[in-house]
Structures are given as structure tokens and as C-alpha cells.
Amino acid sequence: MKLLIFLSFCLATVSAGNNTICTSGFTLVNSKCWKLYPDPANHTIAERTCTNVGGTLFMTKNAIDNRALASFVDGSGVSHVWMGLFCIGNDKSFCYFDDQKGSPTTYNNFAPGFPNSGVGRCVYYSVPGSPGGQWINGDCTETLSYVCELPPTQPDICDINFNNNCYFRLEDQPFSTAQLECQQMCGNLVSIHSAEENRFITSIYSQSSYDSIRIGGIATSKDFIVWTDGSTMDYSNLEVFGSSGNCLWLSLQTTEYHSKGSWFTGDCTTPKHFVCKRPIGDLNCSATPPPPTSAPPTPNPPTCSTGTYMAPGIIASPNYPGQYRSSCAYTLATYGSNKIRITFNYIYTSNSDVISMYDGDSGDAPLIYQQYSTYGTTLKTYISTGNTMYVYFKYNSGATSGYSGFNATFYSVF
Ligand SMILES: *[C@@H]1O[C@H](CO)[C@@H](O)[C@H](O)[C@H]1NC(C)=O
Ligand SMILES: *[C@@H]1O[C@H](CO)[C@@H](O)[C@H](O)[C@H]1NC(C)=O
Ligand SMILES: *[C@@H]1O[C@H](CO)[C@@H](O)[C@H](O)[C@H]1NC(C)=O
Ligand SMILES: *[C@@H]1O[C@H](CO)[C@@H](O)[C@H](O)[C@H]1NC(C)=O
């Protein structure tokens, strides 16, 4: 017993020495923050619960973490837990982690015969068995216990501490005053660098009724955002680039025009609620932000290629904007319990060449809509109910000139 106390004292000291902590009642395991939710829930509810605290379902990407999960739930009586992984095919390369980082082709612990998306696209972790901790596909409507995951952080005096940054919610200011207020707190208007951070920012307003908030970006074009803290643009969720201003607003509700979590451009002078962000421990406002010099990422030119397109992205008819001469099938996917929202920016097709959208990952799924030509610029939007959408463009007409086809943008929405 004495030895045990001594050992746990050492362990506590080792982790405290590094100052890595977990927030929101999560437990530090290796370098991850986990929390077990023993009450069974279907996959959608499980994801939603994790998202509401700014996290995801847990993901293990190496053998050490995978074994640690079994020890973590040991003694709770729980034997199966949902994990942050889903598969749209029977090969590991068709499985995606909730944080969209890494791939189960690098490390996985699927049970023999898995992945098998025929059984279900969601993946759970089985504690018993030999070896323990195997990954098995399950029907997403099944109810199981689950483990959520948050990034670890460092201690700070702020209330909202996430992934080594402090966040502050402030009230109604135009862009320039908001940025000044943030600087007085040693921070800047918030910049957002991953889907996780974007979900987190959205989640801290889950109890509010605001439609949107101001974030710290200025969009100079649909594809280029300058962040006021000088950080590089390495993630974008800009959905609507409008004409009413260049300052970025983040939508907190899904409306006719915006999806929850998406960004759109708005007026810079309108007073808006806003979020400041400062790095952990940086209570000494000495540094001035480096000038924004980052190069815009070049979006992949839309082509027709087989395989899966992960959101966000853009698809177009073959040879766009030249005349198409073939059919094309596109499987659009996003992670977890998010949905696909597709917006056609432009359609000019022969009326016998139809674009069909299906609510799933193949043409066997329920049809959402068949889109015929609308001759020109459009803004037609369709949303899937699950995390995949199959789009099939059928070239029936034999037309060899005159039609430039279509282009469409697709996003991941909550
Ligand atoms: C602290 O530990 C975490 C997780 O083990 C590690 O990622 C991080 O680099 C460590 N930080 C320092 C300053 O040693
Ligand atoms: C998950 O459970 C909720 C609440 O019980 C229910 O409304 C929803 O339809 C379920 N979804 C799925 C995909 O089973
Ligand atoms: C704040 O920064 C200044 C200039 O870099 C330094 O001299 C001072 O010691 C710092 N104060 C604290 C509390 O870190
Ligand atoms: C898609 O169509 C819109 C509207 O015509 C156009 O502004 C945009 O440049 C097109 N995108 C691509 C990648 O061609």
C-alpha cells in the first residue's frame, strides 16, 4: 500500500512538473484529456455531447494510447465505447478521424474482418477481447457509452482555457475598438486555425441567443483571410463572401443563409459581440504582432477524380469551365456527426444532363434532389442528413459545345 501511494505520488509529480493540465473535468492520460460518459447514447448524441464542450470523441493513433484507453475505462463496467472514427468503405483508407488529422492506415487496431462499413459506418472500441481495445464497426443508431477528448493545455488564470490559449467573450464593438480592447488584455481578436478551434469558439456561445459574433479576420477575397494577430491562414470556414464589408463574422445559428459555425463577411463598423484570444501565460503585453505576410493557400483546381472529397472543397463538371464530355461521380464526406452542405455557384448544362444528389455514399442512398440547368449563376443549397453526400453528374446529351457545366462549393456543417 505504501508503495502504491509512493508510486502515485511520483506519477502526479511527473505530470505536474510539465504543467500540462486538462479542463472541464477531463483527466490527463498520456498527453490526452479524456472523460468517460457512461450513459449510452447513439453516435450523433455522443458526438454532440463532445462538441458541446469543444472536443471530439476520443481517437487513439498509436498502440500506447490505445492500451491506455482500456485502463482508463477499467473498473467502470463499460465494455464498448464510441470513438471518433467513421468509415465509408471496407478499407482503412476510407476511414476518417474526427479531427481530420492522420489516418488509420498509419496505426489502427481493427478487429479481424474490419473495417466493415456494411455493419455500420461508426466505429466503437471494444475493451474486452484479445488483444483488448479492438476497433469494430457499429450501426450509428446503436446506443453505447463513449469517451470524449479535449486537447491538453497549460494553467492560466482565465476562465476559458483551450489548447494553450485563453479566450474572452466581450460585448458589442466595431472591429477596431474590439481589437484595441483585446490588445489591452494582451491578446488580439480571435484567429481560428482548425475545425476543432472553430467548434470550440462556437461551443462557448452554446447558451447564448446571438446569431453571430465578430472574429479577428479580414477577408480580402473568398480565398484569403488576414488575421489581426498576424498568424498564418491555415484553415478557413468562410462560406459567404458578400459585399457588405470585409470583416469576418461567425454564425452561431443555422439560418437560410448561413450554417452554424461558418464564417461570412460583414460590416466592420457594426457593434458586435466578439472574442479575444491570448496565448497562455502571456500576461506581459510586450510583443507587437508580426506583420501578416502569409501566402494564400492555392485551392485545388476542381477536377473530376474518383475517390472521396473531404469538406470543405469545391467540385466542378469535367473539363470545367470548358465543355464537359463525360459523366462524373463525387463522394463528399465530412467527419463525425457533421453534415454536408453543398452550394452550386454556377450551372450551365444541357437540360438532359442532370446532377443528382443522394443522401449517403452511393447512388443507392435516398435521392435529395435532381438539379437541372439553371443557365448561369445560382446559389442553390442542399444539405445531407448524414456525413456523406453522393453527387452524380450524368452526361446524356452528347453535346460537344456550348455548355460550361457547373461548379459547387461544399462545407461541413454541425
Ligand atoms: C509536456 O508534456 C506534453 C505531453 O506529454 C508534451 O506534448 C509537451 O511537449 C511537454 N511540454 C514541455 C514543455 O515539456
Ligand atoms: C439519436 O438519439 C436521438 C435522441 O434519442 C434521436 O432524436 C435521434 O433521431 C437519434 N439519431 C440516430 C441517428 O439514431
Ligand atoms: C515584461 O516584459 C519586460 C520587457 O520584455 C520585462 O523587462 C519584464 O521583466 C516582464 N515582466 C514580467 C512580469 O514578465
Ligand atoms: C464558380 O462559379 C462562380 C460563379 O460563376 C465563379 O465566380 C467562380 O470563380 C467559379 N469557381 C471556380 C473555381 O471556377
Side-chain angles (χ1 to χ4, degrees), residues 33-336:
C33 295
W34 282 338
K35 183 173 177 178
L36 173 65
Y37 292 77
D39 290 347
N42 66 30
H43 191 264
T44 309
I45 299 291
E47 288 268 10
R48 199 67 37 101
T49 308
C50 299
T51 304
N52 283 345
V53 293
T56 55
L57 283 167
F58 85 94
M59 295 159 283
T60 49
K61 298 181 183 175
N62 59 59
I64 294 169
D65 287 344
N66 201 61
R67 276 195 298 274
L69 198 278
S71 320
F72 179 67
V73 300
D74 189 32
S76 65
V78 166
S79 52
H80 299 120
V81 283
W82 285 127
M83 59 188 294
L85 182 65
F86 81 100
C87 302
I88 60 168
N90 294 343
D91 187 275
K92 292 182 276 287
S93 62
F94 290 123
C95 296
Y96 300 91
F97 284 119
D98 275 11
D99 64 356
Q100 298 174 288
K101 290 183 195 133
S103 157
T105 53
T106 313
Y107 169 81
N108 72 79
N109 200 33
F110 279 108
F114 290 90
N116 180 348
S117 63
V119 178
R121 288 194 307 206
C122 295
V123 177
Y124 66 86
Y125 176 103
S126 171
V127 182
S130 179
Q134 288 186 329
W135 304 358
I136 298 172
N137 289 78
D139 186 327
C140 304
T141 62
E142 255 182 81
T143 59
L144 296 176
S145 305
Y146 51 101
V147 170
C148 295
E149 175 171 321
L150 274 180
T153 188
Q154 309 276 318
D156 198 298
I157 54 168
C158 58
D159 290 334
I160 307 177
N161 178 337
F162 179 78
N163 201 16
N164 295 324
N165 287 290
C166 282
Y167 298 85
F168 306 90
R169 285 169 296 191
L170 286 95
E171 309 282 310
D172 285 330
Q173 291 296 356
F175 181 86
S176 48
T177 317
Q179 172 61 15
L180 275 179
E181 286 191 7
C182 291
Q183 284 172 357
Q184 279 158 10
M185 313 174 71
C186 298
N188 289 284
L189 269 166
V190 66
S191 61
I192 302 180
H193 296 282
S194 65
E196 268 173 310
E197 188 175 21
N198 196 55
R199 269 199 304 269
F200 177 74
I201 304 293
T202 312
S203 78
I204 62 178
Y205 284 94
S206 59
Q207 305 297 320
S208 89
S209 57
Y210 309 147
D211 289 339
S212 57
I213 51 160
R214 181 181 290 296
I215 56 175
I218 295 177
T220 55
S221 75
K222 177 109 176 67
D223 302 313
F224 189 44
I225 292 162
V226 176
W227 294 112
T228 34
D229 63 6
S231 57
T232 303
M233 176 199 172
D234 48 8
Y235 167 80
S236 172
N237 205 30
L238 182 58
E239 188 180 29
V240 178
F241 181 74
S243 52
S244 56
N246 290 90
C247 286
L248 288 193
W249 297 13
L250 182 151
S251 179
L252 297 172
Q253 318 278 347
T254 296
T255 65
E256 194 184 337
Y257 303 105
H258 307 295
S259 11
K260 184 175 174 183
S262 73
W263 309 344
F264 57 102
T265 49
D267 189 64
C268 297
T269 57
T270 308
K272 296 286 297 174
H273 298 282
F274 62 100
V275 179
C276 302
K277 171 181 174 182
R278 78 160 159 78
I280 288 291
D282 193 3
L283 294 158
N284 189 355
C285 310
S286 46
T288 44
T293 51
S294 46
T298 35
N300 291 329
T303 52
C304 178
S305 61
T306 51
T308 303
Y309 298 75
M310 289 302 288
I314 184 160
I315 59 169
S317 47
N319 194 37
Y320 178 86
Q323 167 71 41
Y324 53 83
R325 289 197 177 84
S326 58
S327 301
C328 188
Y330 317 78
T331 303
L332 315 182
T334 179
Y335 50 87

